[in-house]
Amino acid sequence: MSVTDLPMPGTTTVHGACPLDCPDTCAMEVTVEDGRAVRVRGDRSHPYTRGVLCVKMNDYERTVYSPDRVLYPLRRTGPKGSGQFARISWDDALDEIAGRFTEIAATSGPQAIMPVSYLGTQGILNGLNVGDPFFNRLGATISERTYCDSGSCTAYAMTVGATAGVDPESFVHARYILIWANNMLSTNLHLWPFVAEAQRRGAKVVVIDPVRHRTAQHADWYIPIRPGTDGALALAMMHVIIGEGLTDDDYVARYTVGFDELAERVRQYTPEWASGETGIPAEDIRTLAREYAAAEPSVIRIGVAIERHAGGGQTVRAISCLPALTGAWRRPGGGLLQLPLWAFPVNWPAFLGAEFIRPGTRVVNQFLLGRALTGALDLDPPIRALMVYNSNPLVVCPEQDTLVAGLSREDLFTVVSEHFLTDTADYADIVLPATTQLEQRDLMFSWGHLYVTSNEPAVAPLGEAVPNTELFRRLAARMGFTEPVFTRTDEQMVAEAFDWSSPVLEGITPETLARDGWARLRLPGPDEYAPHAEGGFPTPSGRVEFVSSAAAGGNFVLPLFRQGSTEHQPGDPVDPLPHYVPPRERPDGRYPLALLSPKSHAYLNSSFADRPGQQRVQGEPALHVHPEDAAARGLADGAQVSVVNDRGRFTARLHVTTDVAPGVVVSPMGAWRKHSRGATVNALSPSVFADLGNAPTFSDNLVQVEPA
Ligand SMILES: Nc1nc2c(c(=O)[nH]1)N[C@H]1C(S)=C(S)[C@@H](COP(=O)(O)OP(=O)(O)OC[C@H]3O[C@@H](n4cnc5c(=O)[nH]c(N)nc54)[C@H](O)[C@@H]3O)O[C@H]1N2
Ligand SMILES: Nc1nc2c(c(=O)[nH]1)N[C@H]1C(S)=C(S)[C@@H](COP(=O)(O)OP(=O)(O)OC[C@H]3O[C@@H](n4cnc5c(=O)[nH]c(N)nc54)[C@H](O)[C@@H]3O)O[C@H]1N2
Ligand code: SF4
Ligand SMILES: [Mo]
């Protein structure tokens, strides 16, 4: 223990959990002096956090105490979008909201009201589903929320079932690591030490990405690929593995279904054909397939970005078949890491309020919000009120210009609960102040590791901010909703958060978590954990389904992403065998460049993009372009350029680099419109769904670049 670790008078350390929408779910230690949080750092005893928080969170107390925080309810005083507000009381704010909701429900029906929310915080209490019981009880339009991994989840569930997959800590045992559409050093930082350790022990690290990003620079082999063509690569890898007899026949025979049909299907997908789609030389595809199949074991980490194009779902279907073909699942550290979220026995029914949903209630996907608000969807009744919380749709949603038009409607009543006056909050009629993680209680699962993490409130709420749980308790009380789900306390919610009797939580209770801050699920340790060494896949057949039985039911979105609703599923027929779906947009003379909008290193989606310290790290909105493409347009490094297509335009500073392939341009997402000359990269994104799970197609987006 060093001197700085000694407790000071009036100083306490509180267990926290990073609330951000990030797979790493870091355990935090919050130092509090005289009621004020003075330092936030990573828990040094946590095997995955290892004492390190990322650049977004390592000075979180500055965000919490920022003078820009919204700390009191506000009412709009200027035109929509002007960001002019005056302070009002909570009573006045609640009266106005309940009054407007009641009037709209009475005159147009409750479906004229729509919630808009996502993952500003991902705690079980305050996160994705916190408002669902309220809006389901109200009878509001159901919000379908498929921003992130929905297509991947549908595809993964169709193939291997909702399994945690490989323990990220087991990666040290892998001999061959495929990092596929994932910029780990920016977006999944805490997995990297396990990859680096495997690399030290002799594993080969391969990165497949159109961008030679900071993670790719550490790879043993970087394979550039044309955006949206990963399905072709995975299918051709199977062509080689099956064609050259590199399969684990015993594993295939015991633990899979549909091998003969798959073998027949992939015969057409030759490396030569895939080379034409992906831009990867056919010999490299063969080498990749052979090395991947030979390594014992090999592991694949797929990023969320793998799903963001027309064929994203089928891409994940194909990739999910690979580890079963080669028997990679037999050993610790072998298989596939998608979302280990499925390991956690979260008691979702207690948080969704699905029992309140009235049969026939319509479902509107949030990607279509702009269209829903501007009449393009022909909704009856039209949307007359929005309530936004945990989200900043004006930055994260496609078709930004349409959304601006929708939010500008004078007759639309918009409520936004926020920490800061975001682009979206600027369009609110009422803004409500939300607490940050340091001011609230929560309990976290993870979508990147196998630990439960507890977050204790470290300091009292600032100003009149309230947790989302309290916001919906207050609103429910005003609306006269008296069911127990609307009156339970945060402590009661913690008690209901998990199925505590589940074997993976044996010996873990709310009390032990409050005391210790975190606990690993009761699973074998990372040196032993091989969940599918002997099959046991949570599919209908119990096997990996090359021929998917779930496909017969048609395309679907997990009810979790639609407030618990099982109605109005997309339901389009799905071919039960993996196949290639090319990018929807094909380059032409007008729009020849493929635009990618991955995550910003220093922001978390659009969160922190207004913090001066973070802006200094991230720099101004940039467009990364290959020298050939820049030269062809007479554009010099550092120039201001316009990026355009039929949906919109935005400006960015040109960064000329060979880290992107010719034909690809990259502009990280997250910057706010008000810091970006009124438009960001999502002004150009399409609100077209991918093939499965109504996933976004942010990466299936062609543009032109010209001088600003
Ligand atoms: N710093 C930071 N970390 C974050 C976030 C953040 O905003 N900032 N956001 C969090 C969230 S919500 C998520 S979902 C995760 C996402 O984290 P990731 O899964 O890493 O997603 P992205 O950063 O969007 O994209 C990763 C890589 O995919 C590549 N890519 C794009 N399209 C394709 C394609 O068609 N094929 C291939 N092979 N590669 C492609 C991009 O070039 C990029 O390098 O990160 C989380 N962590
Ligand atoms: N072009 C492009 N668009 C994308 C993506 C991409 O890669 N490219 N990624 C997509 C993905 S993967 C995701 S996950 C989405 C993310 O979309 P969002 O989840 O909307 O992400 P943020 O922009 O961070 O907005 C979260 C907001 O919630 C607020 N907030 C945080 N905590 C609380 C709280 O406790 N209470 C309340 N009331 N508010 C809170 C924050 O201040 C912030 O403004 O974006 C999607 N959009
Ligand atoms: S954003 Fe991710 S890496 Fe950063 S502190 Fe939070 S959980 Fe950890
Ligand atoms: Mo995400």
Side-chain angles (χ1 to χ4, degrees), residues 396-415:
V396 301
C397 204
E399 293 194 339
Q400 192 171 75
D401 293 354
T402 319
L403 186 53
V404 172
L407 290 174
S408 303
R409 261 175 48 195
E410 274 308 322
D411 64 329
L412 181 72
F413 177 64
T414 302
V415 181

Side-chain angles (χ1 to χ4, degrees), residues 106-370:
T107 53
S108 301
Q111 294 190 84
I113 304 165
M114 179 172 164
V116 174
S117 68
Y118 206 56
L119 281 163
T121 176
Q122 55 172 340
I124 298 174
L125 274 62
N126 290 289
L128 185 67
N129 305 102
V130 60
D132 292 358
F134 176 83
F135 288 104
N136 285 338
R137 171 75 168 75
L138 187 62
T141 289
I142 289 170
S143 238
E144 186 171 79
R145 300 175 287 214
T146 54
Y147 278 112
C148 191
D149 235 29
S150 172
S152 174
C153 287
T154 297
Y156 183 79
M158 278 182 174
T159 318
V160 295
T163 167
V166 181
D167 180 346
E169 291 176 75
S170 304
F171 271 53
V172 293
H173 299 299
R175 305 294 303 161
Y176 202 80
I177 302 178
L178 270 185
I179 302 175
W180 207 329
N182 175 231
N183 183 4
M184 199 176 283
L185 282 170
S186 285
T187 62
N188 190 185
L189 178 67
H190 293 79
L191 180 53
W192 180 255
F194 299 90
V195 173
E197 174 60 22
Q199 202 176 25
R200 266 193 298 278
R201 296 184 191 179
K204 184 162 180 175
V205 176
V206 182
V207 166
I208 304 171
D209 203 294
V211 184
R212 188 195 297 270
H213 45 58
R214 59 180 82 213
T215 313
Q217 289 165 13
H218 290 82
D220 299 293
W221 187 13
Y222 164 61
I223 304 178
I225 186 167
R226 226 168 257 151
T229 65
D230 306 84
L233 176 59
L235 291 160
M237 285 173 73
M238 292 201 271
H239 173 99
V240 175
I241 290 168
I242 295 174
E244 298 187 2
L246 306 176
T247 46
D248 180 334
D249 293 338
D250 178 60
Y251 197 90
V252 168
R254 285 173 195 252
Y255 307 126
T256 71
V257 288
F259 176 76
D260 292 342
E261 293 91 329
L262 180 70
E264 174 60 28
R265 172 59 62 90
V266 300
R267 225 160 12 153
Q268 62 188 296
Y269 297 123
T270 63
E272 282 67 26
W273 164 82
S275 178
E277 287 296 307
T278 60
I280 304 170
E283 232 8 76
D284 284 357
I285 297 175
R286 287 203 172 80
T287 304
L288 176 68
R290 290 172 190 149
E291 290 183 356
Y292 169 80
E296 295 189 350
S298 54
V299 70
I300 303 174
R301 169 51 161 169
I302 46 170
V304 173
I306 197 82
E307 72 170 13
R308 296 191 193 122
H309 49 83
Q314 286 303 325
T315 301
V316 175
R317 279 274 288 134
I319 292 174
S320 302
C321 295
L322 282 166
L325 280 181
T326 64
W329 290 110
R330 285 187 188 276
R331 292 173 188 75
L336 174 63
L337 177 59
Q338 190 241 11
L339 286 188
L341 157 64
W342 313 118
F344 296 82
V346 181
N347 181 15
W348 297 113
F351 291 85
L352 294 167
E355 65 278 14
F356 295 120
I357 297 175
R358 298 171 203 177
T361 302
R362 74 181 174 204
V363 177
V364 173
N365 191 289
Q366 290 190 24
F367 299 142
L368 308 178
L369 186 61

Side-chain angles (χ1 to χ4, degrees), residues 19-21 117-121 126 147-149 304 307-308 367 388-393 395-398 416-420 422 432-437 440 466-468 471 597-599 604-607 669-670 672 681-682 685 696 698:
L20 301 182
D21 184 7
S117 68
Y118 206 56
L119 281 163
T121 176
N126 290 289
Y147 278 112
C148 191
D149 235 29
V304 173
E307 72 170 13
R308 296 191 193 122
F367 299 142
V388 184
Y389 53 98
N390 281 346
S391 188
N392 186 9
V395 177
V396 301
C397 204
V416 176
S417 163
E418 253 302 342
H419 295 156
F420 294 100
T422 59
L432 299 171
T435 47
T436 67
Q437 188 79 331
Q440 65 197 17
V466 300
N468 293 335
L471 164 62
S597 49
K599 308 303 186 186
L604 197 293
N605 298 319
S606 80
S607 301
M669 59 87 63
W672 294 9
V681 66
N682 269 334
S685 306
F698 296 116

